[in-house]
Amino acid sequence: MAAAQAVEEMRSRVVLGEFGVRNVHTTDFPGNYSGYDDAWDQDRFEKNFRVDVVHMDENSLEFDMVGIDAAIANAFRRILLAEVPTMAVEKVLVYNNTSIVQDEILAHRLGLIPIHADPRLFEYRNQGDEEGTEIDTLQFRLQVRCTRNPHAAKDSSDPNELYVNHKVYTRHMTWVPLGNQADLFPEGIIRPVHDDILIAQLRPGQEIDLLMHCVKGIGKDHAKFSPVATASYRLLPDITLLEPVEGEAAEELRRCFSPGVIEVQEVQGKKVARVANPRLDTFSREIFRNEKLKKVVRLARVRDHYICEYEVVGRVAYSCNLTYLGG
Amino acid sequence: MSGLKTSMTEGERKTALEMVQAAGTDRHCVTFVLHEEDHTLGNSLRYMIMKNPEVEFCGYTTTHPSESKINLRIQTRGALPAVELFQRGLNELMNVCQHVLDTFEASVKDYKDQKASRNESAF
């Protein structure tokens, strides 16, 4: 009985010991465990697999994937970071730049600005094609000139009062439709995602006048094409109390974990500790600094339960990355 | 040594995949060299192939970080040629991804519906 439990633990949990982590690697391959049929079975996988979206808004996505292995979950993460295409500024044609920001620095900053355009509606630019056509390029114009404000107070030292157009934001970028793009994309669709990104600062007499070409690319080529800010996952924590913990020890136990993980309840006049929500724990391992309590708790993670948290910049189709791995 | 010209992914490449077999062995020990691939495909494909009971050994390495290719070696117990296991692994991986995609899209739709109904009931 105990042996069977130990085997189950080895197969399904990654155990965090005081000085090391055990059972890290996936071992459920055919032939490793007698009595288990570990050969790949698509039906069994489909029966056990589930996805639960916890939170989704325009900037972030948090969901749980249960019943999949690290190799594949990691492949999704890698693809999301490096191989899902987006549109970003690639070529900057500078007509006039008398600002204090050098041409190449300015061009680098413009490349990193996220562009609100669905990359699936565009093609990759052919290698060696310098001009770009309407099917693979988006054009933006940035034309800002800073002047002195004639109506400012005489003794003012606030740049917002003294100068006009001294801060160049992404809202100063205007889209220049190529070919039939004006018919395909309604007004306001093609723009930078955020209109309050500061690109450069100017003083009177300085001007920035340039034309930008956006192309489709992937994160592998340059990080500016990556559609996510951070793409991470963690395994679901699994905290087990090996003995009942009561009284003052229960309060101590509660303080050793992140708030909300351990709950202390009053049962028949005594305080009893209970694991309420292990998902919230960040595994600071504070419990191992407590000589009495470290023997009472087993810290582990569920091997096939992935809590994925993706922060997204701009528009991306989350399903895009899954089709990339398949195709 | 035999070269297979298979275009697996888009890109300007002469060869996407090569097979290397030592002289004297039959077709159940083969090393595949996959160009323009890395751990993304390597590790997930290795996992799918290892789940097959016919496999005696499966491993992959990235030869050097400057070179964008992986060596994937498959040794079978003798019944099937390694190429067939490789193909089966790829097909199974595609099925897994398709299923994950379908489940994910269904889950996203559920979440949106729930959110919409919660917003409605709030009013």
Side-chain angles (χ1 to χ4, degrees):
Chain A
M1 191 56 217
Q5 268 185 350
V7 168
E8 267 309 310
E9 188 188 271
M10 212 170 8
R11 284 172 64 93
S12 71
R13 297 287 187 272
V14 177
V15 181
L16 275 69
E18 187 177 350
F19 298 112
V21 185
R22 296 198 309 271
N23 303 339
V24 174
H25 298 286
T26 310
T27 48
D28 55 350
F29 294 116
N32 283 349
Y33 297 97
S34 67
Y36 284 91
D37 175 20
D38 287 324
W40 179 256
D41 185 354
Q42 180 76 9
D43 295 321
R44 198 169 54 211
F45 164 70
E46 291 188 7
K47 216 158 42 98
N48 288 332
F49 180 70
R50 64 169 214 272
V51 172
D52 301 317
V53 175
V54 170
H55 172 80
M56 186 166 99
D57 63 25
E58 61 179 39
N59 280 331
S60 69
L61 170 67
E62 186 184 335
F63 65 97
D64 284 17
M65 267 202 299
V66 186
I68 202 166
D69 185 66
I72 305 179
N74 193 36
F76 291 142
R77 186 194 62 88
R78 288 175 65 96
I79 289 182
L80 204 51
L81 273 170
E83 290 180 49
V84 177
T86 52
M87 303 291 288
V89 174
E90 176 90 358
K91 270 202 173 24
V92 176
L93 307 171
V94 182
Y95 297 128
N96 189 5
N97 176 21
T98 43
S99 76
I100 208 149
V101 181
Q102 298 89 340
D103 286 352
E104 59 269 21
I105 307 297
L106 190 57
H108 181 248
R109 288 176 67 79
L110 292 169
L112 294 172
I113 295 171
I115 305 289
H116 186 276
D118 190 346
R120 292 171 295 184
L121 301 172
F122 295 91
E123 304 282 328
Y124 288 100
R125 199 184 264 198
N126 293 322
Q127 270 195 7
D129 180 5
E130 293 295 327
E131 295 297 317
T133 59
E134 64 204 17
I135 195 65
D136 58 35
T137 308
L138 282 174
Q139 257 190 23
F140 285 91
R141 182 89 194 214
L142 180 63
Q143 204 172 6
V144 183
R145 177 193 286 262
C146 178
T147 51
R148 204 172 283 278
N149 180 6
H151 306 297
K154 273 263 184 339
D155 51 354
S156 165
S157 60
D158 175 12
N160 293 325
E161 251 191 56
L162 287 172
Y163 313 123
V164 173
N165 282 343
H166 71 282
K167 287 192 177 175
V168 180
Y169 290 101
T170 37
R171 70 176 83 97
H172 294 122
M173 283 167 60
T174 48
W175 176 45
V176 179
L178 285 172
N180 65 348
Q181 282 177 356
D183 306 319
L184 288 173
F185 302 109
E187 192 62 41
I189 287 290
I190 305 290
R191 54 179 170 80
V193 174
H194 308 282
D195 65 356
D196 56 354
I197 300 177
L198 181 63
I199 300 175
Q201 291 200 35
L202 304 172
R203 286 294 181 266
Q206 294 177 347
E207 182 183 356
I208 291 181
D209 182 4
L210 44 84
L211 192 64
M212 296 174 256
H213 286 189
C214 294
V215 297
K216 181 170 167 178
I218 56 175
K220 245 193 211 179
D221 177 24
H222 192 289
K224 72 190 177 194
F225 293 116
S226 180
V228 291
T230 60
S232 65
Y233 63 74
R234 59 194 177 99
L235 297 176
L236 179 75
D238 175 39
I239 301 170
T240 335
L241 297 178
L242 303 169
E243 296 164 7
V245 179
E246 297 170 351
E248 194 47 45
E251 288 292 336
E252 262 185 77
L253 188 73
R254 191 174 55 82
R255 279 195 295 270
C256 287
F257 289 94
S258 306
V261 176
I262 303 276
E263 204 179 52
V264 174
Q265 289 170 330
E266 287 275 337
V267 173
Q268 294 170 339
K270 280 188 303 186
K271 289 197 209 160
V272 174
R274 189 181 74 87
V275 179
N277 192 358
R279 189 194 170 96
L280 298 171
D281 198 27
T282 50
F283 275 169
S284 61
R285 290 157 171 255
E286 178 68 22
I287 190 76
F288 291 122
R289 300 179 66 215
N290 187 317
E291 285 305 318
K292 283 189 293 143
L293 291 175
K294 71 180 178 187
K295 303 183 199 78
V296 165
V297 170
R298 187 196 73 164
L299 295 182
R301 290 194 185 266
V302 181
R303 185 191 291 282
D304 62 352
H305 187 135
Y306 293 87
I307 302 170
C308 303
E309 287 156 14
Y310 298 141
E311 281 167 44
V312 158
V313 180
R315 268 180 62 180
V316 74
Y318 304 113
S319 46
C320 223
N321 71 328
L322 295 167
T323 53
Y324 265 85
L325 182 56
Chain B
M1 190 159 133
S2 54
L4 258 169
K5 273 191 175 53
T6 332
S7 65
M8 291 192 331
T9 50
E10 58 202 47
E12 283 217 315
R13 248 186 341 281
K14 308 283 171 27
T15 340
L17 167 68
E18 278 170 41
M19 272 172 58
V20 178
Q21 211 169 292
T25 59
D26 54 7
R27 294 173 314 168
H28 74 268
C29 293
V30 176
T31 298
F32 296 92
V33 181
L34 280 73
H35 293 271
E36 306 286 320
E37 294 295 343
D38 56 8
H39 305 281
T40 308
L41 184 63
N43 199 19
S44 41
L45 190 54
R46 178 201 62 91
Y47 172 79
M48 295 311 296
I49 294 175
M50 280 291 286
K51 279 294 211 179
N52 190 327
E54 279 299 313
V55 165
E56 188 182 47
F57 174 87
C58 178
Y60 83 100
T61 49
T62 39
T63 51
H64 189 277
S66 313
E67 287 180 340
S68 171
K69 66 181 184 183
I70 57 170
N71 289 351
L72 180 85
R73 182 165 179 86
I74 304 178
Q75 281 173 215
T76 74
R77 291 194 196 284
L80 296 169
V83 190
E84 191 176 315
L85 283 189
F86 182 64
Q87 283 174 329
R88 201 192 295 187
L90 286 168
N91 282 324
E92 285 174 352
L93 188 57
M94 282 203 295
N95 292 337
V96 169
C97 296
Q98 188 58 46
H99 179 74
V100 172
L101 176 61
D102 295 338
T103 318
F104 179 74
E105 287 187 330
S107 182
V108 165
K109 188 169 168 304
D110 261 345
Y111 178 81
K112 285 188 177 158
D113 292 342
Q114 265 184 16
K115 210 161 128 179
S117 68
R118 247 182 289 143
N119 283 343
E120 277 171 20
S121 61
F123 297 118

